[in-house]
Every structure is written in C-alpha cells, then in structure tokens.
Amino acid sequence: MTISVRKLLAIAVLGAALAGCSSDPAPADRGAKAAPGASKPSTAPSAPLASPTPRAPAQAPTLAPGPGGLTPVFSRAPMGAEKVVALTFDADMTADQGPRAASGERFDNPALIADLRRLKVPATVFMTGRWADEYPAEARAIGTDPNFEVANHSYSHYAFKSPCYGLPVVPGDEMRADVEKATASFKKAGVRNAVPYFRFPGGCYDDEALRTLAPLKMTAVQWDVVSGDAFAHNADAVAEQVLAGVKPGSLVVMHCTRSAAPVTDRAIQRIVPELRKRGYRFVKVSDLIGSAAKR
C-alpha cells in the first residue's frame, strides 16, 4: 500500500467518529434517526439527578424499546433539562489497524484522560474492542475509575449501515457478534464500569441495524453537539464549536485518539472551565438517561 493510499484509507476509516467533522449529528446519509418513543426510559431513578457516583453496570438506566422492539436511541436530555452536559469520547481503532499501531501510530490519548482526571470531569468513553485489545492497561484503568464509564463502540469500527464515510461494512448477520466481541475484549482487559450503551461507528444506522441489535437490550447513543475534533489542528476552533453548541442536557461527541484527534486534550482545557463558569455541571451518559425519567 502506498503512503497516499494509506492516508486516504485512514481518513475514510476514521470518518465516523468523524461525525465529529460534520455540523449535524444526524445527517441524511447516516440514516440516523431516533426511534419513536425512545425518550421514555425503562428505569426511573429514585431521586433527582445527582452528582455522578460509581454504578454497577446492571444499575445503569436504559431506554424502553422502540416500536416493534427496535433498539432505542438517545441523543440528548429532554428540553428543559437542568444545566448539565455529558462529554463522550470515542476510542476508535479498526480491526485492521494493528500494523499501524505496531509501527508507532498512537490510537490512544493518555494526556486527555489525565486532563479529565485532573479537572474532575466525569465522562463516558465509547471504546472499540480492538482499542481495548491494543491498550489493555489503559482500558482497565479507565474501566475501573469511578469517574468514567465504558460503553461499546463495536469491535471493528466498521459501519452498521452503508454508505458511511467510506467505512467497510459489517454484514447484517455479523453485527451482533461484532458488538459481543467488543464486550468480551472489555472483560478480558478488566473493564468493570461497562454500561449497556452502544454507539454506531460514524453514527450510521438504520432500522435493520436497530432490529438486529435489539436482543442485546442496549441503548444506542448518538449526540447533539459535534466537537469537530477529528483531524483538527486548532484547539481553539474545537473549543469554540463545542461552547457554541452546548445547551442544557447536551451530549458532546469527541475522540480519544491521538493520531486522528491530536488537539482534543488542549480543547478540553478551555471547554471545561468555560462551561463551569456558565453554570454547567458535567455528568455521564447514564446520568442523562436517568434524568430523562423525570420529564
């Protein structure tokens, strides 16, 4: 493979989280649409939204199935939510990027995780199984830290609907196995703070994908604020885009991959203090989903 072809493939393959590169979290070419009735969670919290605390995976709230039993979809808290925001980070790595990692390309971002800890920001990391296999110690550290929760971003980071930013496509009869393989990688790495949430690579899905994954009883998680951090080199521009888009109850998509999102940690250093100055509190996705029961 020539260098130019490799670069082209890298851009196509990462295009998803590369939802982070678009201005709309659910453009038409993704087929991304929230399943009707998805705003009604099946588990109601016993008290108002509280500060994030460690939660056993079985206690993480999920949404009720959509019509026909489709996997439910969540993208933000209902209108009128209090001033909370969930930062989410996609730890992307495709099933065939091992040689690039072996040659020194970094698909992790320890500095970002360190910043989140230093700033005391709870967050949800959507991790691919391939990433957990490549960085098991980091996966375990994130997945045992009560400040974080780990959600499923597939094993392969291949698309569950076509077209999807040029990503290879998972055959319909292999979708469920791909998700379960990621879960197995988390367990092997020692991740304990796993939650029953799934993010489609690229945010691309359709009813067939929602129907296929329904037996897993997971909630699909999208977003309403695109950070634009994928392949960005201007941390201030990323911060400005997030700050301009956040509203009470927002869910922000960012990335935890140095090779594809090299300025995310620097952007966070500006985003977090500014949002706190505006009166926002940071929560995990599970807290947002739980709060939806109050509406």
Side-chain angles (χ1 to χ4, degrees), residues 202-227:
C204 306
Y205 68 91
D206 55 18
D207 282 356
E208 178 185 358
L210 295 177
R211 187 175 299 108
T212 299
L213 299 186
L216 298 179
K217 300 187 183 304
M218 304 177 86
T219 293
V221 175
Q222 297 286 91
W223 53 83
D224 70 307
V225 178
V226 173
S227 69

Side-chain angles (χ1 to χ4, degrees), residues 13-279:
V13 164
L14 280 234
L18 311 185
C21 293
S22 73
S23 59
D24 181 346
D29 72 338
R30 293 183 204 170
K33 57 182 179 179
S39 62
K40 183 179 181 181
S42 59
T43 304
S46 59
L49 182 63
S51 297
T53 54
R55 175 188 281 118
Q59 295 177 306
T62 56
L63 300 180
L70 295 181
T71 297
V73 181
F74 181 82
S75 59
R76 59 160 291 130
M79 297 300 291
E82 60 179 299
K83 295 186 78 170
V84 294
V85 57
L87 299 183
T88 70
F89 299 88
D90 291 356
D92 296 341
M93 189 171 182
T94 63
D96 56 358
Q97 287 178 335
R100 288 167 56 186
S103 67
E105 185 171 349
R106 302 300 305 197
F107 296 90
D108 61 344
N109 195 337
L112 170 62
I113 298 302
D115 280 337
L116 293 172
R117 288 189 172 115
R118 178 178 58 82
L119 294 167
K120 296 180 170 55
V121 177
T124 304
V125 177
F126 284 85
M127 190 180 292
T128 63
R130 183 63 185 84
W131 194 97
D133 285 349
E134 186 69 30
Y135 305 109
E138 291 182 54
R140 182 169 56 254
I142 294 170
T144 55
D145 187 331
N147 214 42
F148 304 127
E149 61 189 10
V150 173
N152 196 309
H153 195 32
S154 80
Y155 181 84
S156 64
H157 200 265
Y158 289 174
F160 282 57
K161 172 188 176 296
S162 181
C164 183
Y165 302 100
L167 288 171
V169 180
V170 179
D173 60 355
E174 296 178 17
M175 291 179 180
R176 181 172 168 180
D178 189 81
V179 177
E180 293 175 325
K181 186 176 180 181
T183 298
S185 291
F186 302 159
K187 291 180 178 177
K188 180 180 178 181
V191 170
R192 293 203 300 268
N193 298 340
V195 287
Y197 307 144
F198 178 71
R199 174 165 285 165
F200 288 98
C204 306
Y205 68 91
D206 55 18
D207 282 356
E208 178 185 358
L210 295 177
R211 187 175 299 108
T212 299
L213 299 186
L216 298 179
K217 300 187 183 304
M218 304 177 86
T219 293
V221 175
Q222 297 286 91
W223 53 83
D224 70 307
V225 178
V226 173
S227 69
D229 66 337
F231 302 112
H233 294 282
N234 187 328
D236 286 335
V238 173
E240 287 292 345
Q241 184 158 319
V242 172
L243 294 171
V246 166
K247 299 175 178 63
S250 278
L251 200 158
V252 183
V253 59
M254 305 187 83
H255 298 87
C256 185
T257 312
R258 271 185 284 174
S259 63
V263 300
T264 305
D265 57 322
R266 298 205 301 275
I268 282 295
Q269 293 170 30
R270 181 178 169 197
I271 291 167
V272 171
E274 179 59 30
L275 285 177
R276 282 178 170 155
K277 186 187 302 182
R278 297 179 186 182

